[in-house]
Every structure is written in structure tokens, then in C-alpha cells.
Amino acid sequence: GMELEKYKHIGVDPEMLGGQPYVKGTRLSVAFILSCLSQGMSVEEISETYVPVTSEEVSEVLKFAAEVLDAWPVAA
């Protein structure tokens, strides 16, 4: 399993977004933030558009996503 404790800003709650990882204090999923980035939004644009998301949280989303994908073959 994922060690979520090391992420200050990432939460998983079965009651929230069907259990998808999300940014704590928001209703925005990790996947949503990644899709914003993939559409060319900058970290600054995301934090300005989706208050109160901070650039620190966005960079943690990326770290989290990288770790999830890194573990992919093991989990499959």
C-alpha cells in the first residue's frame, strides 16, 4: 500500500470522491490536478484558479503520482 503519511497534502477518504486521492482541504482529486497540468496550465495558474490549492500542494501531487506509477507493476 501507499504510505500516505509522508504526504502532508494528499488524502484518501472513502466518503470523498469515491475514495480517489485528493488534495486535503479541497474537493479536487489528484487526477484533476494532473489533467490541468497536462492541458498546459502552470502551477501558478492552477493555484490562482482553484483557490486554496498552493504550488506546494501541486508539486506534492506530482511526487505522489510519480510514486504511484513507480509501484505500478508491483501492484498489478
Side-chain angles (χ1 to χ4, degrees):
M2 288 291 304
E3 297 163 42
L4 275 176
E5 300 76 51
K6 66 179 148 180
Y7 295 102
K8 280 198 308 211
H9 305 295
I10 310 290
V12 173
D13 177 350
E15 302 295 304
M16 278 278 289
L17 306 175
Q20 275 195 43
Y22 69 101
V23 180
K24 287 180 184 172
T26 76
R27 295 193 62 80
L28 301 176
S29 67
V30 163
F32 178 78
I33 302 287
L34 291 172
S35 74
C36 291
L37 289 163
S38 74
Q39 287 164 34
M41 283 182 81
S42 70
V43 173
E44 290 72 30
E45 285 172 328
I46 292 170
S47 59
E48 285 167 16
T49 309
Y50 302 104
V51 180
V53 176
T54 65
S55 54
E56 186 189 340
E57 289 167 338
V58 175
S59 66
E60 198 170 87
V61 160
L62 288 171
K63 243 169 53 179
F64 173 80
E67 191 183 345
V68 170
L69 292 173
D70 211 34
W72 183 266
V74 186

